[in-house]
Amino acid sequence: MDINELPPENVEAAEQLQAAGWDLNQQEQILNSGDGFRSADYQEGDSMYGFSSEGWPKGADSPYWMDEPTFQEMQTRFRDPVEGAWDSLGIKNHLALPCYNQANAVYRGQLTETQSVVISTINPAAENVIYQSADGTELLNFERSMTGGGSQFAPALNTMGNIAEHGGP
């Protein structure tokens, strides 16, 4: 990724991501998956949340989190207040999660240091989905579009601690 070829509005985000320890590949993924880059200051101990697949916890090396108000908004929008059930497909669509992320587990971590976090609005995305039979025969092949529109927060690399499952859809 050549910082000189980035749109001016992404240069500051790229510089902040580099200073936060993200390698060029990860910086490029973050910049390509979002828009409307901005930053906000958070304190050591502030909670961040992320959706993942059950049995696949989020790690401190993930740049895709959300802050407490954003998580509360997700609960209001995608969690049935009576049953407590989450709309995993709605979450996947809103966050443009890849097919391997089933969005059926929520993880909470805490920032281990005070920092400015890069935030962006998630772009629409698409992925190819292929269903195969047990013998490998392709049964179905289609492209699934996701609207995005949610927010993603990229704290500095390895600054998420106390990561634990917080419940799930």
Side-chain angles (χ1 to χ4, degrees):
M1 177 177 70
D2 184 352
I3 198 164
N4 297 318
E5 294 179 13
L6 289 175
E9 61 272 15
N10 290 3
V11 171
E12 187 176 337
E15 290 171 346
Q16 190 174 351
L17 291 166
Q18 182 177 17
W22 297 107
D23 66 29
L24 286 177
N25 181 49
Q26 203 66 43
Q27 290 174 48
E28 189 171 15
Q29 285 182 21
I30 295 165
L31 292 171
N32 286 336
S33 67
D35 195 17
F37 288 91
R38 56 208 180 276
S39 63
D41 295 332
Y42 290 88
Q43 303 300 310
E44 177 181 347
D46 283 350
S47 292
M48 293 275 173
Y49 299 82
F51 288 89
S52 188
S53 295
E54 189 174 4
W56 294 93
K58 287 185 75 72
D61 61 346
S62 172
Y64 303 109
W65 294 87
M66 64 187 74
D67 65 0
E68 182 80 37
T70 305
F71 179 67
Q72 295 300 323
E73 176 190 330
M74 293 290 290
Q75 285 191 92
T76 299
R77 188 168 180 177
F78 296 107
R79 191 169 191 186
D80 183 301
V82 176
E83 308 256 337
W86 288 85
D87 173 6
S88 292
L89 289 176
I91 293 165
K92 287 176 64 66
N93 187 51
H94 189 64
L95 300 179
L97 297 175
C99 60
Y100 59 82
N101 187 332
Q102 298 176 21
N104 60 2
V106 179
Y107 290 87
R108 180 177 66 188
Q110 294 178 309
L111 292 172
T112 60
E113 60 187 54
T114 297
Q115 61 186 282
S116 185
V117 173
V118 174
I119 306 165
S120 64
T121 302
I122 300 167
N123 287 331
E127 64 185 356
N128 286 332
V129 179
I130 301 171
Y131 289 103
Q132 295 180 327
S133 65
D135 68 2
T137 304
E138 188 174 301
L139 301 174
L140 185 62
N141 184 340
F142 64 95
E143 182 174 280
R144 184 172 76 90
S145 297
M146 297 166 283
T147 60
S151 296
Q152 59 189 16
F153 295 67
L157 179 62
N158 294 322
T159 62
M160 291 298 299
N162 301 319
I163 300 169
E165 192 164 350
H166 184 67

